[in-house]
């Protein structure tokens, strides 16, 4: 008692026990082992003291602790302890006493707690006379590694007709343990009881990757033995016949990252021993991923227990013995800490104490001592830091270090056997990489030689491969990394980035594995390697800043060819920076659209400056460009206006401008310019005078042109002429309210477009531009409302907000339209980057859709469901307002 952290509190606790056990001190004096057990329990846990004080069988259960209980841990019913709950407490008390007295290793503690829960469940099923049903232990119960305060996770197999007896049994179990049934199919919303066939059907059709991960721990524990056999067989087929690819692994990693991020946002990353960095989950997750990928071909890896599975992974060469020792040692230390934390009040906590006395008690309960130089707490915290750092380090490189060792000639693991080609191929496929030989060559090129760079690459490559595996296209990212390393000027900058900022290197891997745009630009502009990888990316530049920077270059004044090269490099660099901010989550959709619009405006202005002085010419933006909402895939819709008759020098000058912008070849293209919205379309003059525009608007313009010119906006060229044109267009568009004839005409055109809407080869069901409720539907609905109400403004989202404030759209309707616009635009933007070309419908190929979904932080299924949800709501608004179809 004198050596305890709190001798006075300990004395008080024992006196509380003695109040209900008058012979306590005599028994302690007669039996030193009982005294040691009681002192250990009282020092560690007020909750266990409460059990000792109220349960009359407590002292008996603490005698003869040297005798292990390899089988039954639930005391038999007796006159002194009749209830299942009371007997369960005695079993818990004995397990904890053996643990605190140093008589049980971690594996025995977790296994004994799981066995106690199993026996409680078995007796509850027998007492309630449950027939035709069976309980499956999941989670730590299934893995025989239960905590002192764990929920026990159960799934029930059988026939719904047995539910009344089953519910009585579960109620009895709840008197002893917290029961969680949420791991069953469809969670708490799903059926409590399912047949084996129903489970099998669910796993085949609907189960998410995390549900298969949970199935690793499934173990029948009580009830009908024949059902248990059938369930185990069906679960084995479902789990071990499943092929694990990059999308499934990425989904599991994303779930873990979200959990870590949530812990970090609460400021608990260092205090959380379970979910924090280098915590228990890091070990469990690493082991389970390797089991899922390799267990189908290697039955030795199918053990539900974490430490046993880790040992099997080392035996099979999937993990080096050194890494396995680091993980198992750290896991034991963290689980022992977790047990001590939960013993205090028997509550489900994983947080280290924030108060010094609590931390001191924890350190002492784990056997840390102090001397005149170092306090017990300091020793404990140093050991905690060491273990967690080691776990995290192994966790981050575990997936790829064995691969690299296998690639190195003569490399072996502790067993003397290198990772087999088949096992290496499985792991590469699950990480998103393809042919093993191609990867071997890439790794060899990156690490070959004795230079400082190759040495750095050998050290960093496991992390780089891990980061690339988290990107949408790991193989694309590896190719980009290899190409950057092949050129001396970019290799030097890349090496500097790896040495100075691993965090920036991780971001660079994400960019390279998202789009070929980045690798292409970085090869030509190696100075952007630091910028692309830096968290503090250069802030977006407006059109004036872009123009000023380019105007300072002598190349702009060196003739058309020189200016074209300057502008091409400017467009390439700026789009890459805009895309980097977008992919890294540092720009909103509005900022991305604004940056692309500003760049296009600047390029038009600079191109005009580079050409010989013309007659006055103004460039008027149309479509999404006019609305300030350009996407990566947008054409640049323009009309050109001059003074006079628009012929001669103005027409020739405009043709020269378009040739410069569109380029002689696709490689030379600066912008994809479309002038077909001009009067008379492609058959009309390229340039018209402002007077000719006025006559056309007055005499010949169609209703659809009022709608098209809603978004017209002068963006370059003669400023005064642009203002005059803007006033002329405003008068044309808003001269009068729409007549019934004009309204019918707009609806007729839209109806025809809907019949012809989606080009062959594109998916009409998931079209981001032309699909029902997608971009065009939103834009046509908003533009019609603008024409009907006189609400001005080129930007679609701004117009939705203004129409909502005026009561044209209700709040939910405005949200539905805006949500669809933002979703479809954002997905279309990202699709351009991941596919490397302009596509307007969700990909039909699973691998392309998976890359897109991964880049957006979602899954293929969720992405399609999100599309259906937002477009369905937007289409309902269109039906009410555009087509005038009332809900009634």
């Amino acid at each position: 008692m004198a050596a305890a952290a709190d001798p006075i509190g300990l004395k008080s606790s024992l006196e509380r026990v003695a109040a209900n056990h008058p012979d306590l001190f005599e028994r302690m004096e007669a039996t030193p082992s009982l005294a040691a057990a009681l002192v250990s329990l009282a020092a560690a846990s007020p909750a266990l003291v409460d059990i000792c004080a109220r349960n009359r069988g407590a002292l008996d259960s603490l005698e003869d602790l040297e005798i292990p209980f390899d089988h039954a841990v639930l005391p038999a019913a007796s006159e002194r302890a009749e209830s299942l709950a009371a007997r369960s407490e005695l079993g818990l008390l004995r397990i904890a006493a053996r643990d605190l007295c140093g008589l049980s290793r971690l594996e025995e503690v977790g296994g004994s707690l799981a066995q106690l829960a199993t026996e409680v469940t078995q007796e509850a099923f027998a007492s309630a006379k449950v027939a035709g049903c069976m309980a499956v232990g999941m989670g730590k119960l299934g893995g025989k590694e239960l905590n002192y305060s764990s929920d026990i996770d159960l799934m029930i197999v059988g026939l719904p007709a047995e539910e009344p007896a089953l519910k009585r049994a579960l109620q009895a179990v709840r008197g002893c343990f917290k029961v969680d049934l949420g791991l069953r199919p469809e969670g708490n919303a799903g059926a409590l009881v399912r047949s084996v066939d129903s489970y099998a059907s669910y796993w085949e059709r609907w189960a998410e990757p995390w549900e298969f991960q949970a199935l690793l721990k499934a173990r029948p524990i009580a009830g009908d033995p024949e059902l248990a056999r059938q369930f185990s067989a069906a679960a084995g087929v479902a789990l071990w016949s499943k092929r694990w690819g990059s999308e499934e692994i990425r989904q599991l990693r994303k779930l873990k990252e979200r959990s870590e991020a949530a812990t970090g946002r609460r400021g608990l990353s260092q205090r959380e021993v379970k979910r924090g960095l280098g915590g228990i989950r890091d070990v469990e997750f690493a082991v389970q991923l390797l089991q899922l990928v390799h267990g189908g071909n290697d039955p030795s890896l199918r053990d539900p227990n974490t430490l046993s599975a880790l040992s099997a992974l080392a035996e099979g060469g999937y993990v080096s013995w050194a890494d396995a020792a680091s993980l198992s040692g750290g896991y034991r230390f963290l689980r022992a800490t977790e047990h001590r934390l939960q013993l205090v009040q028997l509550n489900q906590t994983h947080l280290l104490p924030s108060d010094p006395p609590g931390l001191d008690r924890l350190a002492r309960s784990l056997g840390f001592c102090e001397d005149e130089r170092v306090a017990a707490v300091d020793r404990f915290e140093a050991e905690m830091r060491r273990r967690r750092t080691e776990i995290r380090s192994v966790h981050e490189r575990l997936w790829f270090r064995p691969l690299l060792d296998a690639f190195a000639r003569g490399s072996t693991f502790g067993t003397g056997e290198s990772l087999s080609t088949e096992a290496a191929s499985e792991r590469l496929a699950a990480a998103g990489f393809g042919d093993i030989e191609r990867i071997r060559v890439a790794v060899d090129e990156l690490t070959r030689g004795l230079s400082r760079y190759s040495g750095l690459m050998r050290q960093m490559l496991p992390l780089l491969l891990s980061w690339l595996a988290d990107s949408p296209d790991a193989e694309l990212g590896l190719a980009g990394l290899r190409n950057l390393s092949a050129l001396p000027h970019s290799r030097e900058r890349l090496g500097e980035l790896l040495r100075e900022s691993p965090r920036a290197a991780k971001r660079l891997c994400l960019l390279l594995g998202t789009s070929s745009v980045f690798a292409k630009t970085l090869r030509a502009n190696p100075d952007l390697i630091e910028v692309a990888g830096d968290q503090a990316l250069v802030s977006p530049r407006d059109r004036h800043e872009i123009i000023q920077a380019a105007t300072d270059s002598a190349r702009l004044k060196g003739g058309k060819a020189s200016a074209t090269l300057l502008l091409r490099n400017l467009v390439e660099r700026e789009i890459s920076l805009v895309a980097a901010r977008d992919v890294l989550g540092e720009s909103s959709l509005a900022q991305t659209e604004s940056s692309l619009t500003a760049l296009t405006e600047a390029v038009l202005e600079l191109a005009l400056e580079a050409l010989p002085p013309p007659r006055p010419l103004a460039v008027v933006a149309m479509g999404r460009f006019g609305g300030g909402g350009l996407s990566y895939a947008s054409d640049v819709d323009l009309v050109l206006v001059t003074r006079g008759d628009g012929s001669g020098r103005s027409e020739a000058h405009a043709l020269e401008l378009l040739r410069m912008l569109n380029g002689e070849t696709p490689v030379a293209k600066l912008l994809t310019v479309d002038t077909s919205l001009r009067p008379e379309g492609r058959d009309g003059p390229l340039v018209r005078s402002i007077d000719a525009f006025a006559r056309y608007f007055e005499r010949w313009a169609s209703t659809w042109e009022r709608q098209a010119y809603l978004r017209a906006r002068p963006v370059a060229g003669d400023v005064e002429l642009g203002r005059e044109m803007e006033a002329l267009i405003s008068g044309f568009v808003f001269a009068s309210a729409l007549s019934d004839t004009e309204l019918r005409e707009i609806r007729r055109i839209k109806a025809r477009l809907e019949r012809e809407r989606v080009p062959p080869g594109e998916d009409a069901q998931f079209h981001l531009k032309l699909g029902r409720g997608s971009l065009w539907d939103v834009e046509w609905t908003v533009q019609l409302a603008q024409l009907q109400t006189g609400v001005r403004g080129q930007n679609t989202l701004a117009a939705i907000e203004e129409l909502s404030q005026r009561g044209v759209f209700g709040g939910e309707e405005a949200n539905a339209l805006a949500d669809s616009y933002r979703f479809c635009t954002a997905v279309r933007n990202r699709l351009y980057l991941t596919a490397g070309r302009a596509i307007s419908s969700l990909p039909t190929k699973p691998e392309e859709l998976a890359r897109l979904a991964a880049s957006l932080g979602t899954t293929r299924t969720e992405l399609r469901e999100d599309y259906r949800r937002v477009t369905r709501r937007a289409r309902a608004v269109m039906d009410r307002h555009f087509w005038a179809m009332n809900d009634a």
Side-chain angles (χ1 to χ4, degrees):
M1 290 175 64
D6 183 11
I8 296 175
L10 182 57
K11 178 175 180 292
S12 174
S13 294
L14 291 174
E15 287 172 345
R16 277 202 300 126
V17 178
N20 285 348
H21 298 274
D23 59 343
L24 173 67
F25 295 114
E26 288 81 359
R27 293 181 68 172
M28 290 176 69
E29 197 168 19
T31 312
S33 61
L34 174 62
L38 283 165
V39 168
S40 298
L41 289 170
S45 173
L48 292 177
V49 170
D50 290 341
I51 294 176
C52 289
R54 70 169 179 266
N55 197 312
R56 294 191 303 167
L59 300 186
D60 293 340
S61 71
L62 295 175
E63 291 187 337
D64 299 322
L65 289 181
E66 293 286 346
I67 302 173
F69 36 92
D70 296 331
H71 302 292
V73 295
L74 182 64
S78 69
E79 293 182 1
R80 295 176 60 181
E82 286 293 343
S83 77
L84 185 61
R87 290 159 52 215
S88 175
E89 285 184 340
L90 295 181
L92 174 66
L93 203 61
R94 185 174 175 86
I95 293 168
R98 281 181 55 84
D99 179 11
L100 292 166
C101 290
L103 299 174
S104 296
R105 298 182 71 218
L106 174 73
E107 293 93 320
E108 184 185 328
V109 174
S112 296
L113 290 167
Q115 184 62 26
L116 177 62
T118 297
E119 292 176 13
V120 164
T121 307
Q122 289 171 346
E123 185 160 323
F125 268 55
S127 298
K129 295 182 172 55
V130 177
C133 278
M134 182 269 295
V136 180
M138 304 289 288
K140 284 184 162 52
L141 171 59
K144 298 183 181 180
E145 49 198 4
L146 208 61
N147 291 330
Y148 284 107
S149 293
S150 290
D151 295 349
I152 62 169
D153 296 299
L154 299 176
M155 293 198 308
I156 309 299
V157 184
L159 301 174
E162 296 297 325
E163 280 198 22
L166 174 64
K167 289 180 177 178
R168 290 196 302 272
L170 291 176
Q171 189 61 35
V173 177
R174 286 190 176 99
C176 308
F177 291 92
K178 295 183 286 290
V179 176
D180 189 343
L181 299 163
L183 288 180
R184 67 184 188 265
E186 302 175 68
N188 292 324
L192 176 63
V193 184
R194 284 179 180 258
S195 67
V196 172
D197 288 344
S198 177
Y199 275 103
S201 178
Y202 177 83
W203 293 327
E204 182 180 356
R205 298 181 182 181
W206 311 112
E208 297 288 343
W210 70 264
E211 293 178 281
F212 289 99
Q213 186 181 12
L215 205 57
L216 280 168
K217 303 285 188 182
R219 178 174 62 91
I221 61 169
D224 189 317
E226 177 57 24
L227 274 177
R229 186 194 63 76
Q230 294 175 13
F231 176 87
S232 295
V237 170
L239 180 58
W240 303 118
S241 64
K242 180 176 176 58
R243 184 181 182 278
W244 287 84
S246 59
E247 184 185 17
E248 290 83 2
I249 297 297
R250 188 179 290 115
Q251 286 185 44
L252 296 181
R253 283 179 163 168
K254 286 293 182 186
L255 286 175
K256 185 172 183 295
E257 286 173 9
R258 289 171 190 166
S259 175
E260 286 182 358
T263 301
R265 285 193 297 271
R266 291 182 295 156
L268 300 176
S269 291
Q270 299 307 313
R271 287 183 59 204
E272 249 274 10
V273 298
K274 181 178 181 180
R275 299 179 185 87
L277 302 182
I280 293 167
R281 278 280 172 83
D282 273 4
V283 180
E284 294 173 337
F285 190 78
V287 170
Q288 289 163 15
L289 278 193
L290 294 175
Q291 285 182 280
L292 290 170
V293 171
H294 298 296
N297 290 324
D298 190 344
S300 71
L301 305 181
R302 299 176 186 180
D303 197 306
N305 181 272
T306 299
L307 289 172
S308 298
L310 183 55
S311 178
L313 287 165
E315 288 280 357
Y318 303 97
V319 179
S320 72
W321 282 107
D323 284 348
S326 294
L327 291 180
S328 61
Y331 181 78
R332 285 187 172 90
F333 177 75
L334 292 175
R335 288 297 307 276
T337 302
E338 181 183 49
H339 282 172
R340 295 298 186 272
L341 289 169
Q342 295 186 355
L343 275 174
V344 177
Q345 294 297 340
L346 292 182
N347 60 352
Q348 198 174 68
T349 182
H350 314 284
L351 287 177
L352 296 176
S354 57
D355 61 302
L359 206 54
D360 184 65
R361 282 193 299 272
L362 173 63
R364 290 174 182 274
S365 72
L366 286 164
F368 288 90
C369 302
E370 64 181 16
D371 55 31
E372 63 277 3
R373 292 179 296 111
V374 185
V377 169
D378 293 337
R379 294 182 189 276
F380 164 72
E381 289 183 326
E383 182 68 5
M384 177 64 73
R385 283 193 299 272
R386 183 181 75 83
R387 294 289 191 178
R388 295 182 70 159
T389 299
E390 199 170 63
I391 287 173
R392 190 66 177 187
S393 175
V394 174
H395 170 81
E396 288 182 334
R397 62 184 169 80
L398 179 63
W399 191 261
F400 293 102
R401 173 57 68 187
L403 284 171
L404 301 180
D405 289 347
F407 290 163
R409 183 175 299 174
S411 170
T412 60
F413 295 107
T415 59
E417 297 180 1
S418 63
L419 193 65
S420 69
T421 300
E422 182 181 33
S425 297
E426 286 174 343
R427 198 174 302 187
L428 284 167
F433 294 94
D435 178 59
I436 189 170
E437 281 305 314
R438 192 183 312 138
I439 306 307
R440 189 191 300 272
V441 170
V443 168
D444 182 59
E445 288 181 6
L446 286 168
T447 58
R448 183 190 304 146
L450 300 175
S451 68
R452 185 183 179 190
Y453 179 83
S454 59
L456 175 65
M457 190 58 74
R458 282 192 291 272
Q459 180 183 1
M460 289 291 297
L461 203 54
L463 275 178
L464 293 172
L465 291 174
S466 176
W467 295 335
L468 290 171
D470 287 336
S471 71
D473 191 335
E475 203 155 338
L476 174 69
L478 181 60
L481 193 66
R482 182 179 58 184
N483 290 337
L484 289 179
S485 296
L487 302 176
H489 55 291
S490 56
R491 180 169 60 242
E492 181 180 348
R493 292 180 180 273
L494 182 58
E496 184 178 344
L497 185 73
L498 295 177
R499 285 190 294 270
E500 299 296 328
S501 178
R503 179 179 177 84
K506 180 178 182 179
R507 292 156 60 84
L508 180 63
C509 287
L510 174 60
L511 296 178
L512 292 173
T514 296
S515 177
S516 58
V517 167
F518 298 110
K520 176 185 175 184
T521 304
L522 293 175
R523 276 174 62 89
N525 302 271
D527 62 296
L528 290 182
I529 290 176
E530 294 93 335
V531 177
D534 192 349
Q535 188 170 12
L537 287 169
V538 292
S539 57
R541 299 197 290 183
D542 63 28
R543 62 174 286 173
H544 302 295
E545 292 171 316
I546 297 172
I547 290 171
Q548 184 59 52
T551 303
D552 292 341
S553 171
R555 293 173 64 186
L556 188 64
K557 304 174 181 64
K560 179 183 173 184
S562 177
T564 300
L565 287 173
L566 170 69
L567 293 179
R568 190 179 308 139
N569 185 254
L570 171 68
V571 169
E572 188 176 80
R573 288 172 63 95
E574 288 293 322
I575 287 180
S576 292
L577 290 171
V578 171
R581 290 190 292 268
D582 178 8
V583 170
L584 295 171
E586 294 178 1
S587 283
S588 66
L589 174 62
Q591 290 170 326
T592 298
E593 290 183 324
S594 177
S595 294
L596 292 171
T597 301
L599 172 62
T600 304
E601 292 175 2
V603 169
L604 287 167
E605 194 67 64
L606 291 165
L608 284 171
E609 288 183 20
L611 296 176
R615 297 183 65 183
L617 183 70
V619 180
V620 178
M622 304 286 285
R624 291 182 71 95
F625 183 27
L630 280 181
S631 66
Y632 302 116
S634 294
D635 290 347
V636 178
D637 293 307
L638 303 176
V639 295
L640 303 172
V641 60
T642 187
R643 297 191 190 278
D645 60 7
S647 59
R649 284 186 301 161
S650 294
E651 185 81 7
H653 184 72
L655 286 170
E656 188 71 10
L657 173 66
L658 293 185
R659 277 195 290 269
M660 183 178 181
L661 295 173
N662 283 322
E664 300 294 339
T665 65
V667 174
K669 181 178 294 187
L670 297 176
L671 304 171
T672 302
V673 176
D674 188 342
T675 60
S676 61
L677 289 178
R678 66 186 186 264
E680 302 176 63
R682 301 185 192 279
D683 295 329
L686 182 60
V687 183
R688 283 179 184 258
S689 70
I690 192 167
D691 293 335
F693 268 103
R695 290 193 297 272
Y696 180 83
F697 288 155
E698 182 180 356
R699 299 179 185 178
W700 297 295
S702 301
T703 302
W704 71 265
E705 289 175 293
R706 287 184 65 182
Q707 182 181 351
Y709 278 83
L710 259 172
R711 295 197 285 184
R713 177 176 61 91
V715 292
D718 190 299
V719 175
E720 184 57 36
L721 181 57
R723 291 197 187 108
E724 293 176 27
M725 186 64 181
E726 186 172 30
L728 176 65
I729 290 171
S730 179
F732 161 62
V733 172
F734 296 104
S736 61
L738 283 180
S739 67
D740 290 342
T741 300
E742 290 174 315
L743 178 59
R744 285 194 297 271
E745 177 66 8
I746 290 174
R747 288 174 173 164
R748 184 190 64 78
I749 294 172
K750 184 66 169 71
R752 178 175 59 80
L753 290 173
E754 291 205 355
R755 290 192 299 270
E756 305 168 357
R757 64 193 316 160
V758 178
E762 298 191 39
D763 190 350
Q765 188 179 3
F766 294 104
H767 208 284
L768 298 160
K769 182 178 179 181
L770 306 176
R772 292 173 61 85
S774 62
L775 287 172
W776 264 28
D777 278 6
V778 173
E779 290 168 348
W780 279 69
T781 302
V782 172
Q783 290 160 17
L784 180 63
Q786 287 183 268
L787 291 172
Q788 288 176 314
T789 60
V791 169
R792 307 188 181 212
Q794 293 91 358
N795 184 269
T796 299
L797 290 175
I800 291 172
E801 178 65 25
E802 178 66 21
L803 289 163
S804 177
Q805 290 178 2
R806 294 196 185 188
V808 178
F809 299 138
E812 289 300 316
E813 292 178 323
N815 289 338
L817 293 173
D819 287 348
S820 181
Y821 179 91
R822 291 191 183 98
F823 174 86
C824 292
T825 302
V827 173
R828 193 165 172 242
N829 271 349
R830 193 58 57 86
L831 180 55
Y832 176 85
L833 294 177
T834 58
R837 63 190 190 279
I839 305 176
S840 290
S841 63
L842 296 186
T844 54
K845 293 182 178 179
E847 63 275 13
E848 292 180 359
L849 184 60
R851 285 196 293 270
L852 172 64
S855 183
L856 293 165
T858 185
T859 66
R860 292 179 300 193
T861 301
E862 289 172 346
L863 181 58
R864 285 191 292 255
E865 286 305 311
D866 286 344
Y867 175 93
R868 290 190 181 101
R869 176 178 53 81
V870 298
T871 56
R872 188 185 302 120
R873 292 175 62 225
R875 182 66 184 196
V877 179
M878 183 183 201
D879 286 342
R880 286 193 292 274
H881 289 272
F882 187 91
W883 300 113
M885 295 167 58
N886 296 323
D887 291 337

